[in-house]
Amino acid sequence: MSTELTVLAWGCVLALVHIFTAVRFKTRQYGTAWNRGARDEELPPPQPIVGRLARAQANFFETFPIAVAAILIVEVAGRTDRWTAIGALVWLAARIVYLPLYAFGVPKVRTVVFLISVGGIALILRAALFG
């Protein structure tokens, strides 16, 4: 399997980490009865970490489909190369680093890491668009 597809598989694992980390902290605040219930009731405002993890998850799912599409395009088109592999690895590494940075509320570095992840996607799209 190519590096790009391996990264994509690990990206799926990271997506699950985002989901379960966010719900773990939300359940810790609101309780297991909330987690198992219909979740129709009004809730008090989330604790800061609960909000940050929800926003980190939303941010991941805003860019993950773009990374998936870019990787699948270069794979199907046979345009993978050293730079698409590097781009995929940069994207994944940055997204892994991004989660704890957001969870701990580190503002400026988090933004730089986000931009690095976008740069990784750009490396993949370069091959998709310009061969």
Side-chain angles (χ1 to χ4, degrees), residues 14 91-103 109-110 113:
L14 184 56
W91 170 78
L92 181 63
R95 293 313 310 203
I96 290 169
V97 170
Y98 184 85
L99 179 58
L101 287 175
Y102 209 134
V109 176
R110 181 192 82 224
V113 170

Side-chain angles (χ1 to χ4, degrees), residues 30-63:
Y30 299 122
T32 53
W34 163 83
N35 190 323
R36 291 189 311 252
R39 302 179 187 176
D40 293 330
E41 67 274 7
E42 283 290 321
L43 297 173
Q47 296 169 343
I49 192 162
V50 172
R52 287 192 302 266
L53 288 170
R55 290 187 300 277
Q57 178 184 350
N59 181 276
F60 180 81
F61 283 107
E62 289 169 356
T63 59

Side-chain angles (χ1 to χ4, degrees), residues 103-129:
F104 290 117
V106 180
K108 295 175 183 161
V109 176
R110 181 192 82 224
T111 301
V112 170
V113 170
F114 170 78
L115 292 172
I116 290 169
S117 77
V118 172
I121 293 172
L123 282 174
I124 302 164
L125 287 173
R126 173 210 47 87
L129 295 170

Side-chain angles (χ1 to χ4, degrees), residues 13-83:
V13 171
L14 184 56
L16 292 172
V17 168
H18 270 276
I19 292 166
F20 286 110
T21 302
V23 80
R24 163 91 169 84
F25 279 84
K26 196 167 186 179
T27 300
R28 187 169 74 181
Q29 178 177 353
Y30 299 122
T32 53
W34 163 83
N35 190 323
R36 291 189 311 252
R39 302 179 187 176
D40 293 330
E41 67 274 7
E42 283 290 321
L43 297 173
Q47 296 169 343
I49 192 162
V50 172
R52 287 192 302 266
L53 288 170
R55 290 187 300 277
Q57 178 184 350
N59 181 276
F60 180 81
F61 283 107
E62 289 169 356
T63 59
F64 186 47
I66 300 166
V68 170
I71 289 171
L72 292 178
I73 288 166
V74 296
E75 283 288 336
V76 170
R79 292 189 171 184
T80 58
D81 61 18
R82 174 173 59 123
W83 291 107

